[in-house]
Amino acid sequence: QVQLVESGGGLVQAGGSLRLSCGASGLTFSNYYMGWFRQAPVKEREFATAISGGGGATAYADSVKGRFTISRDNAKNTMYLQMNSLKPEDTAVYYCATRRYGLGRSVSTYDYWGQGTQVTVSS
């Protein structure tokens, strides 16, 4: 079965950086679009960024554009999220997810999810 496992979360000061990883198994990784979502306390899960199977196409939410960079290494079945210039409002549980087609931004259109990794940005 498909499994996604996030890692790399932690506590960082405002202005700092973190890199998240999402390892995938049980699928032909390069055939799948991947996305990062996040969910802050008492808020709905929201789209952050997505990447095509080959890595040539990406999409970003306005709130992270210019600060976050999504990438993937298909040889390692791993996706990454480089987060720079972090702000306290970036504090959330970050989830990776996958879908077969398209740079989707809707939670409901993704088929498989990881368990999430906590990112906390202190002011």
Side-chain angles (χ1 to χ4, degrees):
Q1 71 277 21
V2 176
Q3 287 191 323
L4 303 175
V5 180
E6 302 95 336
S7 61
L11 173 64
V12 63
Q13 288 189 329
S17 299
L18 278 177
R19 190 175 84 152
L20 306 183
S21 299
C22 172
S25 60
L27 75 170
T28 304
F29 186 64
S30 60
N31 287 351
Y32 283 76
Y33 287 71
M34 301 290 297
W36 286 102
F37 289 76
R38 63 186 187 181
Q39 187 166 17
V42 302
K43 290 189 175 180
E44 292 187 353
R45 194 170 299 187
E46 65 176 12
F47 170 80
T49 179
I51 189 167
S52 61
T58 56
Y60 292 91
D62 288 344
S63 57
V64 307
K65 195 176 297 182
R67 301 187 298 122
F68 290 10
T69 302
I70 190 171
S71 62
R72 64 192 294 162
D73 185 339
N74 286 344
K76 296 182 178 180
N77 281 14
T78 302
M79 174 179 66
Y80 304 98
L81 181 63
Q82 178 65 44
M83 304 186 294
N84 297 330
S85 302
L86 282 161
K87 305 174 182 179
E89 51 263 45
D90 294 318
T91 295
V93 177
Y94 283 71
Y95 297 89
C96 66
T98 186
R99 52 183 271 169
R100 187 66 179 84
Y101 299 108
L103 294 171
R105 295 174 182 249
S106 173
V107 170
S108 64
T109 63
Y110 280 75
D111 301 312
Y112 302 99
W113 293 82
Q115 82 290 347
T117 186
Q118 177 71 47
V119 171
T120 302
V121 184
S122 63
S123 57

